Amino acid sequence: MSYNKPRKAIVIFTAILFHCLLVFHLLFSPVIIVLASSKGIVNASFFSFIIIFVFSLFFGRAYCAWFCPGCGIQEITGFFVKKKVKNSKAKYIKYFIFFAWMSVIVVGYILKGFTQIDLSFGMADISIQKRLLLTVGAIMFIVPLAIIFGKFASCKYVCWQAPILIIGKRIRDMLHLPGLRIKTNADKCKSCGVCSKSCPMDIDVAKKISCGEIVDDDCILCGSCIDSCKFGALKYCISTPRKAALRK
Ligand code: SF4
Ligand code: SF4
């Protein structure tokens, strides 16, 4: 069974839907929530980010590969750009961005408090031109990064949402909660390395086969490695974490 085909179809559909409806910024923009917090308003993206966090407590980073509109834009870009992102130290940039962004939001709500809930904040109160600008701006941010540094560069290096999911996934593993994972079977593995080549996040999957599970903060559970292994050494499972994998 191929996971990549349905996954790509779903994530490209979400990208087209959210961008065409001009609601990408309302639910996922890092900017609108900063403006909202400076006025003490609980806006729609406040709830989006909480939902994403709760999702990660069970599904890890699967949201990134299966539902994120930003990922969908990169999949569309991937039809033209074949360059693959590198597993470099640049992946830590996203944590600095997240920390700075979250600090501004927290300070905003501390100073202003939660004064009202306004789910349309950033929609009804801004012009269609500004909404278009925010939507096109997000695409103009993601696409050049993919062209220069490889497909999935924004997920790997700069995404402000990625640390939310990584924190959720780590809490899940720390508490030994069951969740969606990729199980490995070393007995079936022929060490061919095809799974590592297929990983869009440049994770050395083959190196992790002996752990019994793929544990990596950058694994977005896309299923490419599962699809690529002709020997059935990888599969999705719902389970608690394996100790060997967590130690690595
Ligand atoms: S593709 Fe399969 S057999 Fe080859 S290294 Fe990966 S897990 Fe092992
Ligand atoms: S390790 Fe497998 S599931 Fe995770 S990102 Fe790489 S290819 Fe996708």
Side-chain angles (χ1 to χ4, degrees):
M1 178 186 176
S2 162
Y3 292 108
N4 241 335
K5 281 186 188 157
R7 181 191 68 76
K8 279 187 186 174
I10 292 168
V11 81
I12 288 173
F13 174 75
T14 64
I16 293 170
L17 184 75
F18 282 101
H19 285 90
C20 287
L21 294 176
L22 299 184
V23 292
F24 178 80
H25 72 285
L26 181 76
L27 298 170
F28 307 108
S29 163
V31 180
I32 302 296
I33 190 167
V34 169
L35 296 175
S37 70
S38 71
K39 296 173 193 292
I41 295 170
V42 177
N43 70 324
S45 60
F46 181 98
F47 290 107
S48 299
F49 296 132
I50 288 184
I51 291 168
I52 287 169
F53 173 72
V54 172
F55 184 90
S56 69
L57 291 172
F58 186 76
F59 293 103
R61 283 191 68 181
Y63 159 79
C64 303
W66 288 81
F67 303 112
C68 176
C71 173
I73 294 293
Q74 294 185 82
E75 288 294 2
I76 295 169
T77 313
F79 290 127
F80 314 100
V81 176
K82 297 297 165 206
K83 189 172 174 178
K84 195 167 126 175
V85 73
K86 289 269 170 276
N87 190 24
S88 70
K89 291 215 167 26
K91 67 184 178 184
Y92 297 111
I93 294 171
K94 61 182 177 284
Y95 298 104
F96 289 105
I97 292 173
F98 170 77
F99 183 73
W101 173 63
M102 200 43 82
S103 303
V104 173
I105 294 168
V106 170
V107 169
Y109 283 125
I110 288 173
L111 293 178
K112 295 287 177 179
F114 295 111
T115 54
Q116 61 166 308
I117 295 175
D118 181 358
L119 299 185
S120 66
F121 180 83
M123 243 348 234
D125 50 332
I126 63 170
S127 64
I128 188 100
Q129 288 88 342
K130 279 192 183 154
R131 273 187 259 163
L132 262 171
L133 197 72
L134 282 165
T135 302
V136 174
I139 296 171
M140 293 312 289
F141 176 72
I142 292 168
V143 174
L145 276 177
I147 294 170
I148 300 167
F149 299 107
K151 191 176 136 188
F152 283 77
S154 60
C155 304
K156 182 105 182 171
Y157 301 148
V158 296
C159 180
W160 56 96
Q161 295 178 88
I164 299 176
L165 292 138
I166 292 168
I167 291 168
K169 181 184 81 76
R170 286 212 166 203
I171 291 173
R172 176 191 74 178
D173 290 349
M174 238 165 52
L175 299 175
H176 288 262
L177 298 173
L180 184 67
R181 299 167 197 281
I182 294 179
K183 194 174 152 189
T184 62
N185 184 337
D187 294 336
K188 290 186 178 175
C189 178
K190 309 288 178 221
S191 304
C192 65
V194 171
C195 49
S196 300
K197 287 191 192 124
S198 77
C199 178
M201 296 293 270
D202 199 31
I203 295 166
D204 195 349
V205 184
K207 246 188 172 175
K208 297 175 185 276
I209 300 297
S210 60
C211 307
E213 181 190 333
I214 306 295
V215 175
D216 193 297
D217 286 341
D218 286 329
C219 175
I220 53 177
L221 293 152
C222 66
S224 299
C225 53
I226 303 174
D227 287 353
S228 74
C229 181
K230 300 285 171 270
F231 304 98
L234 296 148
K235 65 175 184 183
Y236 281 122
C237 73
I238 292 172
S239 69
T240 50
R242 281 152 201 269
K243 285 193 184 124
L246 289 179
R247 276 200 299 272
K248 288 248 170 178

